[in-house]
């Protein structure tokens, strides 16, 4: 028999992922590839499997711990000859102490820094700061005490609570195993707002309204929908909960402006059809997305401010071109990322997007395949529409939305001729990009799509 260490495998560039579920306990017989724990980052959740089988002798993690690649999950007793690294004689290093909780202060500046993740255990000395940092937090009564144990919540819910100034450990959880959901945080704040607004309701006609730092918000309406007819309550998927919090943050914190334009893709579509016919036996299917990725990569090289991220008062200009694309799945939208798009051929991009889209639908994308993007593309071409306003995927500064192409009459100087026109909707962060730059980017992108030979220059 041999005693080996089970460690967290390569999970991409994700660090400090929270342990949200323990799937085994000491004494359990573990099979190869059996899941041990569930971890969750800002992007996704994933189960960590065991590389070998045996008996779990020790579990070194607990709920709320933060782990990265190489972190020790536990000790496993295996049969001799199991392919795994033996336990070193030296004791395992103690887990690094968690950072004290911090709350993002409300400021007049449009760029608001996201506070670091809070510690699993509350720090009493930080509580007065948390209460003063946000108008909602100021409503916290002094007698509210934290329940015993570690607050069980995902990183996205913890961040949402920080943005509202709510100590996560004070929120009762209604999810599985007492897990705290975003709805629990909202209900907690609503309760505080309702309590604070009761005196004002007795003195004025604005009953039910709460003044949060000069911003008057009515409480969220509580309606018994079943009074009006049959209803069905369906919980949001995990992806919807995580992406919903991210989309809300991005929409509120980024000053969005959308530039709409059109591209004549008549010749490009003819080329796409021809390439599909030529590569039918090889199984390569050329989609419009592959051409969009390549054209956007060329445009990002020409307009480097679009291939950047805002970090405080600095603009981080990236020397690589990684582009994400929105993929529709049964559980919601996810954004796989294609790396080094500018260095890849159209056929390589077609194969990679097809493979990543398939993994997305099966829920098998790794965190590494959904991080590191500089720019995103959201295509509604398969569904319809003319224009829309895609929400920027922070910390990126722009996103391209495309809708279904349609035949339109276009004047060529002598007569109207039918042309296939693709709508382009470019949303951009107005703190980094002005309207003139956005118009130039969209115009240049349209010229590449109209004559794809320009993309090869």
């Amino acid at each position: 028999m041999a005693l080996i260490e089970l460690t967290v495998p390569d999970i991409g560039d994700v660090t400090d992922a929270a342990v949200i579920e323990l799937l085994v306990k000491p004494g359990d017989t573990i099979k190869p590839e059996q899941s041990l724990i569930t971890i969750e980052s800002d992007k996704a959740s994933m189960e960590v499997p065991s590389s070998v089988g045996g008996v779990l002798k020790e579990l070194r993690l607990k709920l709320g711990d933060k782990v990265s690649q190489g972190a020790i999950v536990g000790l496993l007793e295996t049969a001799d000859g199991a392919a795994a690294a033996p336990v070193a004689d030296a004791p395992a290093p103690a887990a690094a102490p968690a950072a004290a909780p911090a709350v993002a202060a409300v400021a007049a500046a449009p760029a608001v820094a996201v506070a670091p993740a809070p510690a699993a255990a509350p720090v009493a000395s930080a509580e007065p700061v948390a209460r003063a940092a946000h108008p909602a937090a100021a409503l916290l009564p002094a007698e509210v005490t934290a329940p015993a144990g570690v607050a069980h919540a995902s990183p996205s819910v913890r961040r949402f609570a920080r943005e509202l100034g709510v100590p996560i450990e004070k929120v009762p959880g209604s999810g599985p195993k007492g897990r705290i959901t975003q709805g629990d945080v909202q209900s907690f704040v609503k309760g505080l707002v309702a309590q604070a607004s009761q005196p004002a309701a007795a003195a004025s006609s604005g009953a039910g309204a709460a003044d949060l730092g000069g911003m008057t918000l009515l409480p969220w309406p509580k309606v018994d929908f079943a009074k009006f007819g049959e209803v069905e309550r369906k919980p949001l998927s995990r992806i919807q909960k995580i992406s919903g919090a991210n989309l809300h943050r991005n929409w509120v914190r980024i000053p969005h402006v959308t530039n709409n334009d059109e591209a004549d893709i008549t010749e490009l579509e003819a080329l796409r059809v021809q390439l599909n016919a030529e590569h039918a036996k090889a199984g390569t299917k050329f989609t419009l997305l592959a051409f969009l990725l390549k054209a956007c990569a060329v445009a990002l090289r020409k307009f480097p401010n679009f291939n950047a991220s805002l970090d405080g008062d600095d603009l981080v200009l990236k020397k690589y071109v990684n582009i994400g694309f929105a993929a529709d799945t049964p559980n919601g939208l996810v954004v796989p990322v294609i790396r080094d798009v500018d260095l890849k051929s159209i056929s390589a991009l077609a194969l990679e997007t097809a493979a990543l889209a398939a993994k997305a639908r099966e829920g098998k994308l790794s965190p590494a395949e959904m991080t590191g993007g500089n720019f995103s593309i959201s295509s509604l071409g398969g569904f319809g529409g003319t224009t829309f306003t895609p929400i920027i995927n922070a910390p990126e500064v722009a996103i391209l939305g495309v809708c279904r192409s349609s035949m339109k009459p276009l004047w060529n100087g002598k007569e109207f001729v039918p042309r296939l026109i693709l709508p382009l909707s470019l949303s951009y962060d107005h703190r980094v990009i002005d309207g003139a730059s956005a118009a130039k980017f969209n115009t240049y992108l349209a010229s590449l799509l109209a004559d794809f030979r320009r993309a090869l220059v």
Side-chain angles (χ1 to χ4, degrees):
M1 306 296 287
L3 202 61
I4 65 169
E5 291 178 342
L6 298 175
T7 60
V8 176
D10 182 7
I11 52 176
D13 59 0
V14 174
T15 58
D16 294 333
V19 177
I20 63 172
E21 196 171 8
L22 303 176
L23 304 176
V24 294
K25 62 183 182 299
D28 286 354
T29 299
I30 307 300
K31 298 179 181 179
E33 300 304 319
Q34 179 178 340
S35 296
L36 304 171
I37 59 175
T38 303
I39 61 176
E40 188 167 48
S41 68
D42 288 348
K43 297 290 185 181
S45 62
M46 63 184 300
E47 295 180 354
V48 175
S50 173
S51 57
V52 295
V55 177
L56 185 66
K57 306 301 291 184
E58 181 182 348
L59 190 62
R60 289 190 175 177
L61 296 176
K62 62 182 182 300
L63 292 177
D65 283 354
K66 301 297 179 66
V67 299
S68 303
Q69 179 181 350
I72 299 174
V73 177
L75 301 181
L76 192 75
E77 187 177 67
T78 68
D80 290 337
V87 178
D89 294 333
V103 182
V106 175
V112 183
V114 178
V123 180
S125 61
E127 186 175 320
V129 177
R131 291 186 180 181
H134 193 281
L139 302 175
L140 285 170
E143 61 271 13
V144 174
T145 57
V150 176
H152 188 195
S154 69
S156 60
V157 172
R158 290 179 181 275
R159 183 175 60 250
F160 179 67
R162 288 199 307 273
E163 292 171 353
L164 295 179
V166 175
I168 191 70
E169 67 275 1
K170 297 183 184 295
V171 180
S174 64
K177 301 180 182 179
R179 187 178 184 188
I180 300 169
T181 67
Q182 183 170 324
D184 293 332
V185 177
Q186 292 172 326
S187 298
F188 184 79
V189 174
K190 286 181 211 172
L192 296 176
V193 171
Q195 293 175 20
S197 64
Q198 285 175 359
S204 69
S205 59
D211 186 5
L212 303 181
M215 180 175 63
T216 301
L217 297 176
L218 292 175
W220 194 265
K222 293 290 291 182
V223 180
D224 182 8
F225 300 105
K227 291 195 308 182
F228 309 105
E230 183 180 355
V231 299
E232 177 186 359
R233 188 172 291 273
K234 181 179 179 182
L236 294 175
S237 69
R238 185 187 298 271
I239 290 178
Q240 288 174 320
K241 290 178 181 178
I242 296 173
S243 62
N246 286 331
L247 290 169
H248 180 262
R249 175 203 61 199
N250 297 345
W251 182 252
V252 170
R253 292 190 171 186
I254 300 174
H256 284 67
V257 182
T258 303
N259 178 282
N260 296 303
D261 208 334
E262 294 180 334
D264 183 348
I265 61 168
T266 309
E267 275 74 29
L268 178 59
E269 178 61 14
L271 173 62
R272 189 186 71 83
V273 171
Q274 179 182 344
L275 289 174
N276 277 332
E278 293 174 356
H279 293 76
K281 292 183 178 180
T284 303
K285 184 178 181 180
F286 291 85
T287 63
L288 180 60
L289 177 59
F291 292 95
L292 281 169
L293 284 164
K294 192 67 175 181
C296 285
V298 175
L300 290 172
R301 284 297 192 191
K302 184 174 179 64
F303 299 91
N305 277 11
F306 287 77
N307 195 45
S309 289
L310 191 61
D311 185 14
D313 292 332
D314 296 327
L315 188 62
V316 181
L317 299 168
K318 298 157 190 177
K319 305 302 182 181
Y320 51 90
V321 180
N322 298 343
I323 301 179
F325 66 96
D328 189 29
T329 76
N331 294 318
L333 287 175
V334 295
V335 185
V337 175
I338 306 289
R339 300 182 184 277
D340 299 317
V341 177
D342 56 327
L343 305 179
K344 294 177 179 177
S345 66
I346 301 296
S347 58
L349 293 173
L351 291 172
E352 191 169 352
T353 53
L356 287 176
K359 292 182 70 173
R361 289 190 295 270
E362 297 168 0
K364 295 182 178 179
L365 286 173
S366 69
E369 292 170 323
M370 294 187 288
T371 55
N374 306 358
F375 183 84
S376 296
I377 298 174
S378 179
S379 175
L380 299 179
F383 308 103
T386 53
T387 60
F388 69 109
T389 300
I391 298 178
I392 298 167
N393 186 23
E396 299 166 14
V397 296
I399 179 173
L400 178 71
V402 296
C403 289
R404 177 178 294 171
S405 57
S406 60
M407 296 299 296
K408 291 186 177 182
L410 202 65
W411 182 253
N412 65 5
K414 296 181 180 179
E415 58 183 349
F416 284 102
V417 293
R419 306 294 290 180
L420 186 62
I421 303 300
L422 178 71
L424 305 176
S425 299
L426 178 71
S427 288
Y428 56 95
D429 187 336
H430 211 347
R431 296 171 298 178
V432 178
I433 300 164
D434 57 33
S437 297
K440 291 176 183 177
F441 183 97
N442 242 357
T443 300
Y444 181 69
L445 180 62
S447 71
L448 296 176
L449 296 173
D451 185 354
F452 212 75
R453 293 173 299 179
R454 298 176 183 270
L456 306 178
V457 178

